[in-house]
Amino acid sequence: MLRKLIITFLSGCLFVVMAAALLFWMQNEVLKQSLQLEAEQVLNVPAGSTPNGLLLQLEEQGALRGALWLRLSWRLQGHVQPLHAGEYQLEPGMNVAQLLNKWSTGDVVQHRVTLVEGWNFNQVRAALAQQDVLQHTLGEVSDSELMRQLGQADVHPEGQFFPDTYNFVRGQSDLDILRQANQRLQKVLAEEWAQRADDLPYSNPYEALIMASIIEKETGVAHERDEIAGVFMRRLAIGMLLQTDPTVIYGMGERYTGKITRADLRRPTAYNTYVISGLPPTPIAMVGREAIYAALHPKPGKSLYFVARGDGSHVFSNSLAEHNKAVREYQLKRRADYRSSPAPKPTQ
C-alpha cells in the first residue's frame, strides 16, 4: 500500500514537473516569436484595456499565435492593472516579448504640440484644435468658462500659458495641455518675480506679465529686450504714454489687416497705449522666460524712444529730436526689404 502511494506521489510530481516544463517551453516559444507584420502599425489601447482582448485581436489578424499562453504568461508575471492607455508602435521584426515589455512599461507613442512665443490665445486654441490625436473638449466653450475649468475663474486667458513644446498621448485632452502650460507659466513667473530687480513700477507679478507680453511683441532680438524694457520703465516713471503698436493691434482685434492708420492710433480701445496711460488691462500674447526676465530687469539708461531699423533690430534715442531723425532715416525712406521684425531663419 505504501509502495503504491509512493508511486502515485512520484507520478504526480513527475506530471507537475512535465507540465511546468511544457508551460515554460510554450511560453518561451510564443514569447520569442516575431510579430507577423509587413509594415509599422500603431495599436490603440483605450483606457481600462487588458491584454486579453488585444492578444486575441492580434491573433485574429495573424500577427501572432498562442494568445492563450501569452495571457497566462502575463498573469504569471504578476500584472493585474489595466494597460497604460495610448498608442503602441509595432514594428516588423519585433518579438512578442518586446510587445509585452512595452505594455508593462507603458511605452506609448508620444505626440507633440508647440505653443509659440508671441501667440495670442486665439492662436493657441486654433493650434490645439488642429491636433487630431487630442481629445477635443473645448469646442464652443468660452474663454471664461475654460479658465473656470482650470480653477482660475475671472482670470483673462491671454498670456496665461507658457510657450513650449508639450508631449501628449492619445486620449489626453486639449484642456490637459492648457493645464500644463498654465501651471508652467505660473511657476516661471513666480521664479522670476522672486528674483526681480529693485524699484520696479509693478504692484504684482501680473503687471510684470503684461509688460513682458509687450516686450515679446516688440522685438525678437534677444539683446534688445532689457533695453526696450528700460524705455517703457522710464516712460511709466514720468507718466509718459507707452505708445506701443502691438497693443494697438491687439485692441483692434479682427479689424487689423496688417496695417495701422493714424485713425487707428487715435481710436480709443482698452489696449490703445497711444490713448490710455500706463499698462493695458491684460497681457497681449504668450511670453517666454526671457521676456519676463527683461520686464523684471530693465536696462538702465536715458532712452525714451526706439524705432525699427527694418532688419528686426531698433535704434534707441534719448530725445524726441534724435528719435524723429531716426524715424526719417529708417521708416520714411523704407527699403524694399524693410522688416519691423526679425527676418525668418533660412531653412537648411
Side-chain angles (χ1 to χ4, degrees):
M1 183 67 178
L2 179 60
R3 182 178 180 182
K4 187 176 181 180
L5 289 174
I6 292 174
I7 293 174
T8 302
F9 173 75
L10 292 176
S11 299
C13 290
L14 181 62
F15 176 79
V16 170
V17 170
M18 292 178 63
L22 177 62
L23 177 60
F24 180 77
W25 181 81
M26 286 297 296
Q27 282 184 306
N28 270 346
E29 286 298 303
V30 294
L31 287 172
K32 288 190 301 183
Q33 65 178 304
S34 296
L35 293 177
Q36 299 303 303
L37 302 172
E38 296 182 358
E40 292 184 356
Q41 177 180 329
V42 173
L43 179 66
N44 183 32
V45 176
S49 297
T50 62
N52 296 351
L54 295 172
L55 289 169
L56 288 173
Q57 173 186 329
L58 291 171
E59 187 172 48
E60 289 173 358
Q61 293 174 0
L64 56 78
R65 65 182 188 280
L68 177 63
W69 291 101
L70 290 170
R71 290 161 60 186
L72 180 58
S73 174
W74 182 264
R75 288 182 176 275
L76 290 175
Q77 291 177 36
H79 299 298
V80 293
Q81 298 296 327
L83 298 179
H84 291 275
E87 298 167 306
Y88 291 83
Q89 187 77 32
L90 309 185
E91 302 172 359
M94 173 188 290
N95 62 38
V96 173
Q98 291 171 318
L99 170 62
L100 295 186
N101 184 62
K102 275 181 174 284
W103 284 352
S104 65
T105 59
D107 183 14
V108 294
V109 176
Q110 296 285 328
H111 299 273
R112 292 183 173 186
V113 60
T114 299
L115 308 183
V116 181
E117 292 96 337
W119 275 5
N120 61 39
F121 189 55
N122 287 337
Q123 291 172 298
V124 172
R125 292 190 68 150
L128 295 178
Q130 293 173 4
Q131 296 293 321
D132 295 336
V133 178
L134 274 177
Q135 179 185 357
H136 297 289
T137 64
L138 300 178
E140 300 300 320
V141 173
S142 67
D143 288 353
S144 58
E145 171 60 19
L146 185 156
M147 294 305 292
R148 189 195 67 77
Q149 292 182 28
L150 291 176
Q152 297 189 45
D154 302 324
V155 176
H156 195 281
E158 201 65 77
Q160 293 298 320
F161 305 92
F162 192 76
D164 203 349
T165 296
Y166 294 91
N167 293 333
F168 63 93
V169 300
R170 180 179 289 276
Q172 284 189 268
S173 72
D174 41 16
L175 191 65
D176 291 332
I177 303 298
L178 290 179
R179 183 173 287 106
Q180 290 182 53
N182 177 251
Q183 291 173 351
R184 180 85 187 283
L185 184 280
Q186 299 303 324
K187 181 176 183 292
V188 170
L189 183 59
E191 290 171 352
E192 296 297 333
W193 178 259
Q195 303 178 53
R196 66 191 182 279
D198 296 328
D199 302 321
L200 296 176
Y202 311 124
S203 301
N204 51 58
Y206 189 67
E207 291 183 354
L209 185 64
I210 295 173
M211 177 59 76
S213 73
I214 297 174
I215 296 168
E216 190 74 74
K217 294 298 290 184
E218 277 288 4
T219 184
V221 180
H223 67 83
E224 287 189 345
R225 292 190 182 104
D226 62 344
E227 194 163 4
I228 286 177
V231 169
F232 289 142
M233 293 301 106
R234 288 184 283 278
R235 287 192 171 199
L236 289 174
I238 64 176
M240 183 177 176
L241 297 180
L242 294 182
Q243 294 185 323
T244 168
D245 290 357
T247 63
V248 178
I249 293 170
Y250 187 83
M252 292 174 66
E254 294 182 358
R255 289 191 296 107
Y256 179 68
T257 57
K259 183 178 179 180
I260 303 176
T261 66
R262 291 186 178 182
D264 294 324
L265 298 181
R266 294 192 297 265
R267 184 177 291 111
T269 74
Y271 292 87
N272 186 349
T273 53
Y274 283 80
V275 176
I276 65 169
S277 60
L279 294 167
T282 75
I284 60 173
M286 286 195 302
V287 301
R289 185 185 287 270
E290 294 80 6
I292 297 173
Y293 181 89
L296 294 170
H297 298 85
K299 184 176 181 178
K302 297 181 179 179
S303 58
L304 287 171
Y305 306 90
F306 59 88
V307 63
R309 279 194 176 93
D311 60 358
S313 65
H314 296 81
V315 175
F316 294 84
S317 305
N318 295 348
S319 69
L320 183 58
E322 292 176 3
H323 176 63
N324 287 337
K325 180 181 177 181
V327 169
R328 287 193 296 272
E329 181 176 355
Y330 291 102
Q331 289 205 345
L332 299 184
K333 297 179 181 179
R334 292 184 177 183
R335 306 184 308 274
D337 63 344
Y338 177 91
R339 298 186 62 85
S340 60
S341 59
K345 295 179 181 179
T347 56
Q348 299 297 323

